[in-house]
């Protein structure tokens, strides 16, 4: 779908600004940790240690392209872990200049200086977003979370795009190689995080956007059972689908295999006697040029037997505590991009714009009535439709479904003026759009974002909530405003407290949409 390809490009551009280039910083001191695979030398900072580029699986190259992750080889001596490893192969966007590296299955560990095997800390494993086509774990500097929250944070690279989600009949692991990588990283954490002062028995799997949807997929995956004890899902509900193309979702085998066949044809392998062998010989740059701008995991597979949406609805997901939420204005970034590409939204053409997204005329008329465009600039209204339909209401539904069988804490990030996620002023204020909660938890691209004093306090509050949840399953404490489990907690500089967002986002309307 052309609009989905454009959507991915807009999101990658926004993330590229939020996640500027990572540069290695000189380290006056070094710290050596002995792991089961060999010793690693990391960097010592003010109150924390960082170990970058630790291999958790063998390079998936040659015959291992489109194969399950294999154990990493051990090494002699001391391995340098003071700079990030290459990002997984991806087009230019979130990672400046992109990447053509397949040797990319590495993780990064940030730990408080005094974290040690004798006094282990809770562990948060972070899965980056990027539509399953872009992103890198090294873009997320987690030192504030590690130090303020007294936790060990692990950020992960995993295979992306066609290299991570190729669908092909008869191929073991079809459509799930990136998810399998995440499980391999979790197994590495279970086996070896104790050497860095992490508690392998207290692991929280967390992610944003596609990373959040990956958390949901791992909740639904039988082979992930026991690999984590809690889950955090930011702006990536479980209940997405092709009718809501702005949010991540999984696809059936027939869809995944059709995309795989199209890729084989695009790179000249469709008529080869050994199609898979031919595909494994195609240069990475050619695969990246031929793949779609969007990628989806495949369900109906050994790793992911059920569509996560159905698994959540039926309760067939891991029974672990969950912290889940979305941003108040998720969709404005897409609306702004669509308008920047030449689509104006006015009272006159608003019904036509809605019908592009809600083909049924009667239902489209309901949306137009619920979201009237009264001025010359309908961008914020357009953004509200996208955000409510694809994120706000599906997130509330996911939270309600999960809460039927497990402890769930729900939030809505609502800073009306967060650090801007676009390189130039947008055509209208974006508010708390997609990705804008990230600078409150991480220094993105290794750089702090400019914030007001109230925003810095909100960042401290959010880090406190996230890390206390990782420690005990309850975000409350530390003098922060009380978070009632029965309500959605609004997170804003001016006020942090309970809200009822369903009415604001017209969720009764979207609940009846096919």
């Amino acid at each position: 779908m052309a609009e989905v390809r454009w959507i991915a490009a807009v999101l990658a551009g926004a993330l590229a600004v939020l996640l500027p280039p990572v540069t290695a910083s000189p380290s006056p001191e070094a710290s050596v940790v002995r792991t089961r695979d060999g010793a690693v030398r990391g960097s010592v900072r003010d109150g924390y240690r960082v170990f970058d580029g630790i291999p958790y699986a063998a390079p998936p190259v040659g015959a291992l392209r489109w194969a399950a992750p294999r154990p990493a080889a051990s090494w002699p001596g001391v391995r340098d872990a003071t700079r990030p490893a290459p990002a997984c192969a991806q087009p230019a966007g979130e990672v400046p200049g992109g990447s053509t590296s397949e040797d990319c299955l590495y993780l990064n560990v940030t730990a408080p200086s005094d974290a040690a095997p004798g006094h282990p800390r809770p562990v948060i494993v972070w899965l980056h977003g990027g539509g399953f086509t872009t992103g890198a774990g090294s873009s997320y500097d987690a030192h504030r979370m590690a130090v303020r929250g007294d936790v060990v944070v692990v950020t992960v690279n995993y295979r992306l795009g066609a290299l991570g989600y190729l669908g092909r009949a008869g191929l073991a692991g079809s459509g799930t190689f990136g998810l399998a990588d995440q499980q391999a990283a979790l197994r590495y954490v279970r086996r070896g995080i104790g050497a860095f002062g992490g508690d392998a028995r207290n692991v929280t799997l967390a992610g944003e956007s596609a990373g959040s949807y990956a958390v949901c997929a791992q909740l639904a995956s039988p082979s992930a059972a026991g690999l984590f004890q809690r889950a955090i899902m930011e702006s990536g509900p479980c209940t997405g689908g092709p009718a809501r193309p702005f949010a991540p979702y999984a696809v059936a085998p027939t869809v995944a295999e059709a995309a795989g066949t199209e890729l084989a044809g695009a790179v000249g392998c469709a008529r080869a006697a050994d199609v898979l062998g031919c595909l494994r010989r195609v240069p990475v740059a050619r695969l990246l040029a031929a793949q779609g701008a969007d990628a989806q995991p495949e369900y109906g597979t050994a790793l992911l037997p059920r569509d996560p949406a159905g698994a959540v609805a039926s309760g067939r997901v891991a029974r672990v505590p969950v912290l889940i939420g979305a941003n108040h204005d998720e969709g404005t970034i897409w609306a702004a991009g669509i308008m920047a590409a030449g689509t104006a939204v006015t009272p006159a053409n608003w019904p036509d714009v809605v019908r592009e997204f809600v083909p049924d005329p009667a239902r489209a008329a309901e949306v137009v009535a619920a979201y009237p465009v009264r001025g010359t600039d309908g961008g914020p209204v357009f953004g509200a439709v996208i955000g409510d339909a694809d994120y706000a209401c599906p997130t509330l539904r996911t939270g309600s479904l999960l809460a039927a069988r497990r402890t769930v804490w729900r939030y809505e990030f609502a800073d009306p003026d967060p650090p801007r996620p676009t390189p130039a002023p947008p055509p209208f204020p974006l508010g708390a759009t997609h990705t804008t909660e990230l600078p409150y938890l991480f220094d993105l691209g290794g750089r702090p974002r400019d914030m007001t004093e109230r925003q810095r306090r909100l960042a401290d509050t959010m880090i406190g909530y996230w890390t206390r949840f990782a420690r005990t399953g309850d975000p409350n404490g530390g003098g922060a405003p009380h978070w009632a489990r029965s309500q959605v907690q609004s997170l804003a500089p001016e006020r942090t407290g309970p809200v009822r967002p369903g009415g604001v986002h017209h969720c009764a309307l979207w609940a009846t949409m096919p």
Side-chain angles (χ1 to χ4, degrees), residues 165-192:
Y165 302 97
L166 175 74
R168 185 158 183 81
L171 174 62
S174 173
T176 60
F177 301 104
L179 298 180
D181 295 342
Q182 296 165 9
Q183 292 186 9
L186 286 166
R187 292 188 180 94
Y188 178 93
V189 167
R190 182 172 63 181
R191 184 179 73 250

Side-chain angles (χ1 to χ4, degrees), residues 172-268:
S174 173
T176 60
F177 301 104
L179 298 180
D181 295 342
Q182 296 165 9
Q183 292 186 9
L186 286 166
R187 292 188 180 94
Y188 178 93
V189 167
R190 182 172 63 181
R191 184 179 73 250
I193 200 63
F196 299 92
D199 186 351
R201 299 168 299 178
N202 188 1
V203 175
T204 296
L205 184 62
E208 183 267 344
S209 195
S212 173
Y213 189 81
V215 172
C216 184
Q218 302 299 356
L219 286 169
S221 174
S223 51
L227 294 179
F228 56 98
Q229 288 67 53
R230 282 176 266 285
I232 296 175
M233 300 169 59
E234 301 174 30
S235 300
C238 298
T239 53
R244 301 284 181 266
F246 296 89
Y249 59 95
V251 295
T254 53
V255 177
E257 291 164 13
T261 299
E262 182 179 352
L263 178 74
V267 297

